[in-house]
Amino acid sequence: MSNHLPEEVWAGIFTRLPVKTLLQIRSVCKLFSSIISNPTFISAHIKKTINESHSHTLFLRYLIEKERQQEHYLLFADSSDHKNSIFDEHNCRKLDFPFKTRSKCHFRIVDSCNGLICLNDDNDFDTSGIILWNPSIKRFLNLPNPRVTSRSYGSYMYVLGFGYDEKNDDYKVVRVAYKKGRSGRDLIPPEVELYSLNSRSWRSFNAGAPPYGIFGYTWLQAFVNGAVHWVGYDPCVVKGNESCGLIVAFDLSDEVFREVMLPSCLEQHAWDVYITVFWGKLAVLHYDYGAHKNFCSVWVMEEYGLADSWKKLYTVDLRGGLRNLIGFLRNDEVIGVTIRGKLLSYDLITSRINNLRLRGAVGGFHVGSYMESLVLLEAESAALARESITSGNEQEEEQATDLHAVKNRNDEFDDQEKLESFLSLRISEQNYSAYLCCGFSEQELSAKNSEEWVKELVPEANCDGWEND
């Protein structure tokens, strides 16, 4: 095996490569596979991707009205360069969705974070199927059943939160369950359970359960500043005839609940407030309906945790047919859904409406952030291996080259170091800096393409499947 480059140098080079290339590189040798599957490398790759990415990718989930159990996912670039719809064939691609709900509706999307999408199939409170799914590496993990179920707890309501614990490099799901009292009200405090991807298990967290209620009918959460947030209320504080509304936050690193104040003018209107994220900042949408008004106000907390920093940035006029807002785009645009299930973009500055040429079930739309990552790749357990996703469409990616055949001829070639370097860095041949780090000269790079290199170093290797970038 190559020993002219230290392992940390390889890791530094690999952090600059896309996920698809890294998956191919794992087949070169055990060292490369070990580096790329290491949790430390996976975290470093995510940070590099976030810090150096100049584009923003979103995903859209929608359902066709007559096929409500068939979910469709699209990836699209959030860019101002699109001439027509952001969902035209040049700006988006379909994402295969491999799951089938057991309910008569669809999966609820809890949230997405660092390439993981958290799904909940909540047709049955006894199973509450929760899935962590990484589409870019086609892996998913079915979470074990939580302790609190209708059999053990009776009638109850629950909410979920999902996010990343940066301090412990862990992904966590928090489940807050409220038992129903005789009057039908949620009993406080709730039962709290926390799932850790690192430990692969749930644990009860009742000592620090919040003395607040959480509105579960919206099924919305916002992961900001290392904490999960829901809209809730304080039953001990009453203003007018209503409990005082607030935001309930759960810090995933410190594992403590705390309250975040709503804008003071919204404390008595928490039923009409929906939590969201506006370009990395905590935000809420307030829907104000009336006989002669139909508006949605966008409030953003400019400085996290500071109640006085709430600012109303926009007011969207919904009287033109918009029913609700589902996601923000660049250049002050927002995606909205009409009462007939048409998808529109709304310019928050000019109030101009653009038809995005897509229609679906009104309650089935969801927009979330997306990035490619290797999360779940390090989990090589038998249980997770059985949950890798394969399909006929993936044949091309898996058959790019017979790297194992090349690797088995290790001892026959004096230039094995360069061979492994080249195979591991099958990126654009114009990217000289990456190749030069592996010991190639400019003359060598300009003289031969990918296929010529392999044929010279490994004459018997089958290169028919190679696609030179």
Side-chain angles (χ1 to χ4, degrees):
M1 179 55 218
S2 169
N3 54 17
H4 77 294
L5 284 179
E7 184 173 328
E8 56 270 22
V9 175
W10 283 118
I13 295 173
F14 292 165
T15 57
R16 294 170 166 82
L17 303 181
V19 167
K20 181 179 178 179
T21 303
L22 291 173
L23 294 178
Q24 295 173 342
I25 291 173
R26 292 182 73 216
S27 302
V28 173
C29 61
K30 291 182 179 180
L31 174 62
F32 290 175
S33 178
S34 174
I35 292 173
I36 295 168
S37 302
N38 188 291
T40 301
F41 171 80
I42 292 174
S43 297
H45 185 264
I46 290 174
K47 291 179 181 177
K48 190 81 171 179
T49 301
I50 293 175
N51 292 337
E52 297 189 358
S53 176
H54 300 292
S55 61
H56 185 228
T57 303
L58 300 173
F59 74 89
L60 169 75
R61 191 276 303 277
Y62 69 98
L63 294 82
I64 298 175
E65 190 66 48
K66 295 181 180 179
E67 305 172 357
R68 295 184 67 92
Q69 289 183 293
Q70 180 61 50
E71 303 186 26
H72 303 272
Y73 284 72
L74 293 176
L75 294 181
F76 64 98
D78 180 14
S79 170
S80 60
D81 297 335
H82 54 271
K83 297 180 180 179
N84 299 307
S85 170
I86 55 176
F87 302 117
D88 63 35
E89 60 182 2
H90 302 293
N91 192 60
C92 73
R93 65 181 176 90
K94 185 178 180 181
L95 196 63
D96 290 331
F97 186 71
F99 311 109
K100 295 290 185 182
T101 178
R102 292 171 295 176
S103 71
K104 296 181 179 180
C105 195
H106 52 79
F107 282 91
R108 298 185 188 272
I109 299 175
V110 182
D111 209 343
S112 58
C113 180
N114 292 351
L116 280 186
I117 300 176
C118 182
L119 304 167
N120 179 221
D121 192 7
D122 65 329
N123 69 305
D124 187 344
F125 279 82
D126 285 331
T127 56
S128 183
I130 303 173
I131 298 172
L132 297 181
W133 173 40
N134 186 337
S136 57
I137 62 171
K138 299 177 178 61
R139 280 181 177 258
F140 68 94
L141 180 67
N142 278 311
L143 271 59
N145 291 336
R147 178 181 60 84
V148 175
T149 66
S150 58
R151 294 181 181 179
S152 64
Y153 208 58
S155 179
Y156 74 104
M157 180 279 295
Y158 72 93
V159 296
L160 292 172
F162 169 69
Y164 176 59
D165 171 4
E166 185 174 9
K167 183 184 297 183
N168 298 294
D169 192 17
D170 195 6
Y171 295 86
K172 296 178 178 179
V173 177
V174 58
R175 189 172 186 262
V176 185
Y178 291 88
K179 187 175 183 179
K180 294 291 185 180
R182 293 182 178 180
S183 64
R185 285 181 167 271
D186 297 338
L187 298 182
I188 300 173
E191 295 277 343
V192 181
E193 294 178 272
L194 189 64
Y195 178 85
S196 162
L197 183 59
N198 285 350
S199 68
R200 297 290 196 277
S201 63
W202 292 95
R203 58 185 172 88
S204 296
F205 190 78
N206 295 326
Y212 311 117
I214 296 176
F215 296 124
Y217 64 91
T218 66
W219 266 92
L220 295 177
Q221 69 129 57
F223 177 67
V224 178
N225 207 50
V228 178
H229 302 78
W230 307 268
V231 176
Y233 61 92
D234 187 340
C236 299
V237 180
V238 178
K239 290 187 178 181
N241 296 323
E242 299 289 340
S243 297
C244 183
L246 49 77
I247 294 174
V248 180
F250 180 72
D251 189 298
L252 292 179
S253 295
D254 297 334
E255 298 185 355
V256 294
F257 284 92
R258 60 175 181 267
E259 67 177 74
V260 177
M261 302 307 297
L262 283 168
S264 57
C265 62
L266 301 182
E267 290 178 348
Q268 291 181 261
H269 304 281
W271 281 96
D272 300 319
V273 172
Y274 295 77
I275 197 104
T276 186
V277 180
F278 184 85
W279 298 116
K281 295 182 179 181
L282 187 64
V284 295
L285 305 177
H286 175 233
Y287 290 89
D288 189 4
Y289 302 108
H292 302 287
K293 59 182 179 180
N294 195 359
F295 299 95
C296 176
S297 300
V298 181
W299 291 77
V300 176
M301 181 173 266
E302 297 287 357
E303 186 174 343
Y304 182 78
L306 186 61
D308 293 338
S309 70
W310 280 109
K311 182 179 180 181
K312 184 165 72 170
L313 295 185
Y314 309 104
T315 298
V316 180
D317 188 346
L318 304 179
R319 292 174 296 181
L322 281 176
R323 180 180 182 270
N324 61 294
L325 311 181
I326 62 172
F328 296 99
L329 300 176
R330 298 190 181 205
N331 299 328
D332 298 306
E333 288 185 327
V334 64
I335 297 178
V337 182
T338 70
I339 57 177
R340 296 183 181 275
K342 292 177 63 176
L343 210 60
L344 306 175
S345 66
Y346 179 94
D347 192 304
L348 295 167
I349 305 300
T350 65
S351 300
R352 179 177 177 271
I353 294 177
N354 181 33
N355 187 354
L356 296 180
R357 304 176 186 177
L358 197 151
R359 185 188 295 268
V362 174
F365 287 101
H366 181 98
V367 172
S369 62
Y370 179 84
M371 65 174 290
E372 291 191 343
S373 79
L374 296 167
V375 182
L376 293 185
L377 187 66
E378 77 278 12
E380 298 288 0
S381 66
L384 189 57
R386 289 196 299 270
E387 294 171 348
S388 61
I389 305 166
T390 58
S391 69
N393 295 332
E394 297 155 26
Q395 299 286 328
E396 181 179 349
E397 294 181 13
E398 297 175 353
Q399 297 176 356
T401 181
D402 189 4
L403 295 180
H404 285 294
V406 175
K407 178 65 183 70
N408 290 337
R409 304 187 60 82
N410 259 359
D411 300 331
E412 298 185 23
F413 307 100
D414 297 333
D415 214 357
Q416 182 64 26
E417 290 87 352
K418 284 189 177 181
L419 172 62
E420 290 176 352
S421 300
F422 188 85
L423 292 177
S424 68
L425 290 174
R426 289 183 57 239
I427 54 180
S428 171
E429 300 222 353
Q430 296 179 354
N431 193 343
Y432 285 96
S433 59
Y435 287 114
L436 292 175
C437 289
C438 299
F440 291 96
S441 68
E442 293 188 8
Q443 291 77 15
E444 289 173 322
L445 290 174
S446 60
K448 301 179 180 66
N449 60 28
S450 306
E451 186 172 338
E452 289 172 344
W453 266 109
V454 177
K455 285 184 176 179
E456 178 176 325
L457 294 174
V458 192
E460 298 178 17
N462 179 11
C463 300
D464 293 340
W466 279 73
E467 294 181 2
N468 294 319
D469 296 326

